[in-house]
Amino acid sequence: MYDIQSYHVEWLVTSEQLQSDVTIRFSNRLVLSIEPGRTADAVELGPVAMVEGLVNAHTHLEFSSLSKPIPTTGQFTDWIRSVVKYRRENPGLTSEAIGAGIEESWQSGTTVLGDIATVGWSADDYSKAGFQGTVFQEVLGLSPDRIQQQIELARSHLNGHTANAPRGVSPHAPYSTHLDLFRQAVEIAIRTNSLLTMHLAETKAELELLRTGTGEFREMLMDFGIWNDTLFQTPLKPMDYLELLAKAPRSLIIHGNYLDDTELKFLASQPQMTLVYCPRTHAAFGHSEHPWRRLIELGGRVAIGTDSRASNPDLSLFAELQFLTACHPDLSQLDLLRIGSRNGRLALGFEPHSRSKTPADFTLIRLADSALRSPHPELFGPANRVCGTMVNGHWVWLAPDLASQTLSS
Ligand SMILES: [Zn+2]
């Protein structure tokens, strides 16, 4: 027997349905029923919208201890150099940062995360904080001598991959990952039926490195002492990477800021691939306009990520959706909800909400204008606030007033 919990809310919003004045019953991590009005046993949550749980499809929780982002105003490689320095100077912060990042995610309404883990982490760091999501083991290195050790690292992580707890591997980026290491990471993802993610086409400088082996990345790699003249000799394009990434059961392309139309059309033709757009990080680096709307127009899948606190002031996926609402007032809030929730679940290997089976992962949003006849026009309006987060049928966070109400009922 499982406990049944019932809550009455003013609005229930998923990317498939909108209902008002309903009681939602939960049992065994699923929605059991949705009934009109308030049933006798229902806890009253008041003028809030219970929304399909938000999904942060890309972050690096290990940087969650940073109180403010590392400056993004210079060259991109200046930022990379500062990130490398920060990591070197703070080797002991990883466990604490992962816990803090998960807690921050709960408090901002996120229910599922896609996290990139590097070194110095343990499964406990995630389970202690009640993590729900996909952990990707990062692999990188430009020296052929490193490949075997990196693949071993990925293999031991992916051994725990199951349908209920998806795992993945992340070859970091074209400028940091030897082509042979990248190819082997793709193979191991295929063999273990795991997920694959990679930062790709993030900067114009990356495209230059791939095309001609020159530019700021070459200078940085020389300064790091890891350049050699056999690297980046054959001209490549992001498409060369996309074609390999497409072979994995599921892959997430991070950023894709400079994918061209041919590459976007290719992505749109691959339903197992998702482009993860990180709106505020993209804006912080001052990139050209992001092609996410073009990809949607072409029929491709877009999900949203915060990236890390090394480039973003917080880990709030809700704030990303508020930012997009302000930048794209013509877009429907339901379309934004879809890319901020359902698409992220699909990308990370989690079952999406459906009419027949609805996982109990929800974000509660307090609407600033409680007289709204429908939350549609401004679900992610600037004055709205997250006031609760339900993961797997448990409240992992509730605003203090709601918490006292819920506990006293
Ligand atoms: Zn990233």
Side-chain angles (χ1 to χ4, degrees):
M1 283 293 287
Y2 294 95
D3 286 344
I4 294 178
Q5 317 167 58
S6 304
Y7 299 98
H8 175 253
V9 292
E10 196 153 305
W11 299 102
L12 171 66
V13 191
T14 71
S15 30
E16 292 196 326
Q17 59 182 325
L18 169 75
Q19 287 173 268
S20 66
D21 183 21
V22 289
T23 294
I24 308 158
R25 288 177 188 276
F26 296 97
S27 177
N28 188 21
R29 303 176 170 194
L30 293 172
V31 172
L32 194 63
S33 66
I34 300 166
E35 293 165 39
R38 182 183 172 181
T39 61
D41 61 339
V43 173
E44 180 59 57
L45 292 177
V48 296
M50 188 173 258
V51 173
E52 187 169 340
L54 301 183
V55 177
N56 183 357
H58 177 68
T59 187
H60 306 252
L61 291 174
E62 65 175 304
F63 294 111
S64 304
S65 300
L66 276 162
S67 57
K68 58 180 196 308
I70 290 169
T72 51
T73 43
Q75 284 195 316
F76 183 75
T77 49
D78 293 339
W79 180 81
I80 297 273
R81 288 171 199 255
S82 303
V83 168
V84 170
K85 183 165 177 277
Y86 170 81
R87 197 183 263 159
R88 202 170 284 151
E89 289 171 356
N90 298 281
L93 287 182
T94 307
S95 297
E96 180 193 315
I98 290 170
I102 295 170
E103 188 56 37
E104 184 187 348
S105 301
W106 295 159
Q107 293 193 11
S108 52
T110 299
T111 58
V112 177
L113 293 117
D115 185 42
I116 311 284
T118 57
V119 291
W121 64 278
S122 75
D124 267 5
D125 299 333
Y126 291 88
S127 58
K128 268 194 312 209
F131 179 81
Q132 171 165 260
T134 301
V135 178
F136 295 87
Q137 173 63 56
E138 181 174 281
V139 294
L140 83 177
L142 289 166
S143 160
D145 301 341
R146 250 180 96 102
I147 295 176
Q148 201 184 347
Q149 176 261 337
Q150 290 288 289
I151 289 298
E152 275 311 313
L153 191 63
R155 184 173 289 130
S156 66
H157 175 63
L158 297 180
N159 274 341
H161 175 91
T162 64
N164 291 334
R167 290 186 180 189
V169 58
S170 174
H172 173 251
Y175 58 81
S176 60
T177 311
H178 195 283
L179 258 184
D180 290 340
L181 173 55
F182 168 56
R183 288 193 188 105
Q184 290 189 35
V186 173
E187 276 169 29
I188 194 172
I190 296 169
R191 271 206 308 278
T192 56
N193 197 28
S194 306
L195 286 78
L196 196 60
T197 189
M198 186 177 206
H199 300 87
L200 188 67
E202 184 171 6
T203 59
K204 288 180 185 155
E206 178 190 318
L207 301 195
E208 180 189 343
L209 181 78
L210 289 178
R211 200 171 52 236
T212 56
T214 56
E216 59 172 295
F217 276 109
R218 180 184 171 130
E219 284 167 32
M220 181 187 78
L221 296 171
M222 288 180 97
D223 290 347
F224 285 172
I226 48 181
W227 177 263
N228 76 65
D229 288 336
T230 66
L231 295 168
F232 305 104
Q233 278 195 320
T234 314
L236 291 171
K237 294 185 68 178
M239 182 62 117
D240 297 302
Y241 288 84
L242 289 177
E243 283 171 347
L244 273 172
L245 289 161
K247 295 182 188 301
R250 276 176 216 271
S251 54
L252 295 85
I253 314 307
I254 310 306
H255 303 308
N257 300 334
Y258 295 97
L259 292 173
D260 66 22
D261 217 51
T262 309
E263 289 158 344
L264 294 169
K265 282 177 180 153
F266 176 78
L267 259 185
S269 72
Q270 306 291 319
Q272 78 286 19
M273 299 179 92
T274 303
L275 178 68
V276 182
Y277 169 37
C278 301
R280 288 181 296 160
T281 288
H282 172 271
F285 282 106
H287 293 300
S288 317
E289 196 182 340
H290 195 281
W292 65 289
R293 294 190 68 171
R294 172 67 180 149
L295 181 62
I296 293 174
E297 198 179 286
L298 291 166
R301 190 191 298 130
V302 174
I304 303 291
T306 60
D307 219 337
S308 77
R309 271 177 163 263
S311 58
N312 212 13
D314 57 58
L315 299 177
S316 171
L317 208 280
F318 183 72
E320 299 294 341
L321 296 172
Q322 288 181 310
F323 176 81
L324 287 181
T325 297
C327 300
H328 302 267
D330 59 313
L331 265 184
S332 115
Q333 299 280 281
L334 276 197
D335 285 343
L336 280 179
L337 175 60
R338 194 170 298 117
I339 65 170
S341 59
R342 181 184 181 82
N343 287 3
R345 287 187 82 92
L346 286 167
L348 292 170
F350 283 76
E351 201 171 345
H353 290 216
S354 69
R355 281 181 193 272
S356 58
K357 192 175 181 190
T358 306
D361 294 332
F362 284 94
T363 304
L364 274 190
I365 298 174
R366 182 169 284 139
L367 305 167
D369 182 358
S370 60
L372 275 180
R373 286 174 54 201
S374 159
H376 269 181
E378 49 180 274
L379 197 52
F380 305 113
N384 292 350
R385 294 286 174 264
V386 168
C387 60
T389 310
M390 179 186 276
V391 172
N392 257 320
H394 297 287
W395 293 111
V396 291
W397 184 72
L398 271 174
D401 59 319
L402 280 183
S404 54
Q405 206 169 314
T406 308
L407 291 173
S408 62
S409 297

